[in-house]
Amino acid sequence: MPHTSRTTFQGNALAAFAFLLWGLMPLYFQMLPGADTNELQAFRITFSVPFMLLVILVMGKKLPSLAALKADKRSVALCGLAAVIMCVSWYNFTWAITHGQVLAASLGFFINPLFAIALGVMFLGDKLSRAQSLAVILGSCGIGYMVYSYGELPWSSLLMGGCFALYGLCKKFIRFDSLTSVTLESALLMPFALSYLFWLGITDQSMALAQFSISDTDTWSQLLLYMGAAPITLMPLIFFALAISRTSLSMIGLMQYIEPSMHFLLAVILFNEYFDQVKAISFALIWTGLLLCTLEALPALRQKRTNLKLGS
């Protein structure tokens, strides 16, 4: 069934809102400066399960039966792999934005499309266009210049961008719907996260529960911020999942730069992170490559939108 212009508009709005929420996420985590990243990750995983179950209930969806899960063990296994990959990506993202490294997060998600292009070529048989080939070369030059100048790889950014691209590749082969797969990913990791939180609690090493008192609002706010990491990180994903079926992947691909652009602006303008000449040149090379890909995609996108209007 072809998209109507109304449905396409709703999809574009949902996608833009999802990337806007992702872009604003550093503001939330600034309230947890120097947070224990391991504990924060464990809280996020643990509380993701009840939150996703609530979302599925509110949306009137149904989880697959145990028999359906057993019948598609490959998708279950891929959900487990996707969960581990996303865990690595989110760990680096969370560490960056709670330790004054929002620019690293921005760089990670700017280079994510370059990783996605490379994985598409290696595993999906995609062919690179001229603009995509040039974008990969320019992105490699940008990272190479940073390595040459600083004498080390931007590991945090590379892990963020690379793992997020690998996560997307895994999702290509999972036959469950988006809400089910996200819930299953969290559920598979939940026993490990709960065990870690239990160990922190009995050994008095929990930062979220440090000096916790039922009558102390300050300690309550600390705990709620750790628990809130689940809905804060999942809400954009839900809006993104809703947008996928209502608009084109080309439009979503163009709008995905909203997130790292906002991270960049927040880092430089609001958080006063150091932005030197090396970063300026590296970012400029990567931005140029992404701009070329965007300009190349626009004519095809306009043609597709015209075809959709004619078909509606």
Side-chain angles (χ1 to χ4, degrees), residues 257-296:
Y257 303 121
I258 292 173
E259 177 193 354
S261 298
M262 291 184 66
H263 290 167
F264 177 82
L265 292 173
L266 286 173
V268 176
I269 297 173
L270 191 62
F271 303 145
N272 297 315
E273 288 191 25
Y274 184 57
F275 188 64
D276 59 11
Q277 183 180 352
V278 173
K279 289 189 178 73
I281 293 173
S282 298
F283 270 83
L285 288 167
I286 294 167
W287 287 334
T288 302
L290 296 176
L291 178 61
L292 290 173
C293 288
T294 302
L295 292 175
E296 182 186 58

Side-chain angles (χ1 to χ4, degrees), residues 25-33 35-36 39-41 43-44 47 94 98 207-209 212 217-233:
M25 208 172 288
L27 294 175
Y28 178 86
F29 287 100
Q30 287 297 307
M31 294 185 285
L32 287 167
D36 185 322
E39 186 174 12
L40 192 55
Q41 184 85 311
F43 265 96
R44 190 188 72 80
F47 287 92
T94 305
T98 54
M207 288 184 66
L209 297 174
F212 178 76
T217 55
D218 288 337
T219 56
W220 264 108
S221 63
Q222 172 91 341
L223 177 61
L224 290 174
L225 283 171
Y226 271 82
M227 292 168 59
I232 285 293
T233 55

Side-chain angles (χ1 to χ4, degrees), residues 149-175:
S149 301
Y150 293 148
E152 60 181 10
L153 280 166
W155 286 112
S156 182
S157 301
L158 291 173
L159 283 170
M160 260 182 276
C163 286
F164 199 74
L166 282 170
Y167 177 77
L169 180 65
C170 280
K171 300 290 269 188
K172 287 275 188 184
F173 301 98
I174 294 173
R175 287 187 284 265

